[in-house]
Amino acid sequence: IFSIGYMKGEPRYWWFFAVLQLFAASMLMLVMADILLLLLISWELVGVCSFLLIGFYWEKRSATEAAKKAFITTRIGDIGLMSGIILLFNGPNSFNIQEIIHYAEAGEYGDTYLFIAMACLFLGAMGNSAQLPFHVWLPGAMKGRTPVSALIHAATMVVAGVYLTARMLPVYEVADGMMLVITIVGLTTALLTGFIAIVQTDIKKVLAYSTVGQLGFMFVALGSGNTTAALFHLMTHAFFKALLFLGSG
């Protein structure tokens, strides 16, 4: 409803809504995926849609640069995600999330092997959720239209990493030392981005750094094994951050 009025009279009106619908559909598929391969496909679709929407005004050099920066930075994390999925598949010979969880809880993976696999998987989550040092792409993503910024920050791109970590948390708990890594990354990100936000002059960039900080807190909750707190904050954050972006527009 907001976008219909906001995009009135803009060029490529139909293209904006087509990609926006694909964006939402990709995220729904990601949430419903019960196998890691389908999750990876929808994860990549989310990345493509964010690239297309951030660079919506491809006539502007700043928008194309921001889109490329977001795409390349998150792809670095995705290399880790793919590696992690391949390593996890190697044991039970299945991409099914439940089977992988049961296999890990039974202690079938070696300790070091599981730690490396989950570290790779977490790298993918860090890339999409803009945790340090991948936080650089998110403020640039504000070159997209305001409804896009609201969608990226509230429901799609950045919370995918939190969702994946929450979904695979039983395996992270078995992987010795990974919970501490998640907590440290989340806490460092929350503190540093809070300080960075203080010196920003662009309202959308202030909100962008605020998002990264809130995601950091979600990872701290996950690192302490509290999935309920992390996902509850994910839900509440989605509402207030979307409204803040629509208001700032």
Side-chain angles (χ1 to χ4, degrees), residues 177-188:
M178 265 317 293
M179 298 294 273
L180 184 64
V181 171
I182 295 169
T183 311
I184 290 167
V185 168
L187 202 56
T188 312

Side-chain angles (χ1 to χ4, degrees), residues 129-153:
S129 289
Q131 298 298 289
L132 285 167
F134 299 108
H135 68 288
V136 292
W137 72 265
L138 200 59
M142 298 305 92
K143 295 291 177 190
R145 306 303 284 147
T146 295
V148 175
S149 301
L151 191 64
I152 287 175
H153 286 263

Side-chain angles (χ1 to χ4, degrees), residues 6 138-139 142 146 149 153 197-211 241 243-249:
Y6 192 82
L138 200 59
M142 298 305 92
T146 295
S149 301
H153 286 263
I198 293 169
V199 296
Q200 297 301 316
T201 51
D202 180 349
I203 188 166
K204 282 176 83 178
K205 283 194 175 178
V206 175
L207 295 175
Y209 280 114
S210 160
T211 299
K241 193 51 61 81
L243 292 169
L244 278 168
F245 269 109
L246 298 182
S248 74

Side-chain angles (χ1 to χ4, degrees), residues 15-88:
W15 169 248
F16 176 84
F17 281 95
V19 182
L20 207 66
Q21 292 302 314
L22 181 62
F23 205 1
S26 308
M27 198 63 204
L28 282 170
M29 189 163 83
L30 192 148
V31 171
M32 292 192 293
D34 63 341
I35 57 167
L36 287 174
L37 202 60
L38 183 60
L39 187 137
L40 180 67
I41 292 164
S42 44
W43 186 280
E44 296 302 325
L45 274 170
V46 167
V48 170
C49 292
S50 67
F51 169 75
L52 294 171
L53 287 168
I54 294 164
F56 179 73
Y57 291 119
W58 57 69
E59 302 88 355
K60 291 182 184 174
R61 184 172 175 82
S62 59
T64 53
E65 292 297 328
K68 283 190 283 187
K69 188 177 184 179
F71 194 70
I72 292 163
T73 310
T74 50
R75 270 346 74 177
I76 296 165
D78 288 0
I79 293 166
L81 180 72
M82 287 180 200
S83 308
I85 289 171
I86 292 163
L87 288 169
L88 288 172

